[in-house]
Amino acid sequence: MATKENIEEGLELTLKFDENGLIPVIAQDAKTGEVLMAAYMNRAALDATIQTGCATYFSRSRQKLWKKGEESGHFQKVEQILVDCDQDCVILKVTVDAGQCHVGYQSCFYRALKAGSDKELENIAEKVFDPKKIYKT
Amino acid sequence: MATKENIEEGLELTLKFDENGLIPVIAQDAKTGEVLMAAYMNRAALDATIQTGCATYFSRSRQKLWKKGEESGHFQKVEQILVDCDQDCVILKVTVDAGQCHVGYQSCFYRALKAGSDKELENIAEKVFDPKKIYKT
């Protein structure tokens, strides 16, 4: 079994998947540093990502592997895979084209909490495509 | 109940906490865009973060609120709180000093998978402080 020191200081990938076999994954634009989305991978999704170089996640709602872009065409080319200290989170540094979020924005994080409020959001980005033209459903 | 459209396009914060009452949170350096760490918040941690302007998480291992920096002194000043499309993930844009990871690095993501390998990591950062001098335990 991996020790705390091995996990934190070692150079062997010993990812900690949760009780559902999943690990949270952050996709970050390799060029701009913008965080594009957060999703989950199981072991098979990670293997597919490593083997193909194309970000593949596990869809919790559909309970199946989901190659990002398989419907929209907005694939994520994986440049680097980072792990955190306790190996329970992954960052994918990705090269992408325009429009990574299915709502129509470049990033899924297109809203921020308004200053001084604990419940009101404001848009901080503009849509870069019309999702109705891309997605059939 | 919030509809999919309200959640995705609305301007009301309707965060989706998981079955344990938690939501994943990404801390990102507001200046450099570097992702510093990933952690979790419960509702009380979010409220404390909004009220104090200082990032407060929920420690799953200790099962209690954890004001980042309470032991190390490396606090995170929250500049902006972003939510994603389905409101099940949060980004904190934070201003920080040097050394955000307890292992001694600026970011928790100090290792990357080696090109061509599916299990070997390489260090991609240098330590910025000696954790033995900071933490008592």
Side-chain angles (χ1 to χ4, degrees):
Chain A
M1 187 169 159
T3 64
K4 185 169 184 291
E5 190 176 347
N6 281 345
I7 293 168
E8 292 183 349
E9 304 269 8
L11 295 177
E12 186 189 352
L13 188 69
T14 54
L15 290 180
K16 189 178 168 191
F17 294 90
D18 70 12
E19 65 276 14
N20 297 313
L22 301 178
I23 192 165
V25 180
I26 301 161
Q28 186 180 24
D29 190 308
K31 281 199 196 109
T32 67
E34 184 175 21
V35 174
L36 300 169
M37 56 177 278
Y40 291 83
M41 280 183 176
N42 61 5
R43 181 75 229 185
L46 177 68
D47 289 344
T49 299
I50 293 172
Q51 283 159 22
T52 65
C54 237
T56 304
Y57 303 97
F58 182 80
S59 167
R60 293 177 302 166
S61 57
R62 289 176 286 164
Q63 286 286 306
K64 64 170 191 173
L65 290 191
W66 157 46
K67 183 177 181 180
K68 171 72 183 162
E70 63 190 3
E71 192 180 356
S72 66
H74 295 298
F75 297 101
Q76 296 176 338
K77 182 173 177 288
V78 177
E79 308 293 349
Q80 205 175 27
I81 300 176
L82 277 56
V83 297
D84 73 344
C85 45
D86 43 8
Q87 299 212 31
D88 64 359
C89 186
V90 169
I91 292 178
L92 301 182
K93 296 272 197 176
V94 295
T95 296
V96 294
D97 59 6
Q100 286 289 307
C101 176
H102 74 286
V103 181
Y105 297 90
Q106 177 62 7
S107 160
C108 293
F109 296 89
Y110 50 84
R111 290 171 296 183
L113 199 60
K114 268 195 174 177
S117 174
D118 63 356
K119 59 184 176 188
E120 199 182 347
L121 301 173
E122 62 185 346
N123 284 316
I124 56 170
E126 301 283 333
K127 289 193 182 185
V128 295
F129 72 93
D130 180 354
K132 288 179 188 147
K133 291 184 180 165
I134 302 287
Y135 298 97
K136 291 162 202 159
T137 51
Chain B
M1 186 170 163
T3 63
K4 186 170 184 289
E5 189 175 348
N6 282 345
I7 292 168
E8 291 183 349
E9 304 267 9
L11 295 177
E12 185 189 352
L13 187 69
T14 54
L15 289 180
K16 189 179 168 190
F17 294 90
D18 69 12
E19 64 276 15
N20 297 313
L22 301 178
I23 192 165
V25 180
I26 300 161
Q28 185 179 25
D29 189 309
K31 280 199 197 110
T32 67
E34 185 176 21
V35 174
L36 300 169
M37 55 177 278
Y40 291 84
M41 281 183 175
N42 60 6
R43 182 73 230 187
L46 177 69
D47 288 343
T49 298
I50 293 172
Q51 283 159 23
T52 66
C54 236
T56 303
Y57 303 98
F58 182 80
S59 167
R60 292 178 302 167
S61 57
R62 290 176 284 163
Q63 286 287 304
K64 64 170 192 173
L65 289 192
W66 157 46
K67 183 177 181 179
K68 170 73 181 160
E70 63 190 2
E71 192 180 356
S72 66
H74 296 298
F75 298 101
Q76 295 176 340
K77 182 173 178 287
V78 177
E79 309 292 348
Q80 205 175 27
I81 300 176
L82 278 55
V83 297
D84 73 344
C85 45
D86 42 10
Q87 299 212 33
D88 65 358
C89 186
V90 169
I91 291 178
L92 302 182
K93 294 273 196 175
V94 296
T95 297
V96 294
D97 58 5
Q100 285 290 306
C101 177
H102 74 285
V103 180
Y105 296 91
Q106 177 61 7
S107 160
C108 293
F109 296 89
Y110 49 84
R111 291 170 297 182
L113 198 61
K114 269 195 174 177
S117 174
D118 62 357
K119 60 184 177 191
E120 199 182 347
L121 300 172
E122 62 185 347
N123 284 315
I124 56 169
E126 301 284 335
K127 289 193 183 185
V128 295
F129 73 93
D130 180 354
K132 287 177 190 151
K133 292 183 181 165
I134 302 287
Y135 298 98
K136 292 162 201 160
T137 52

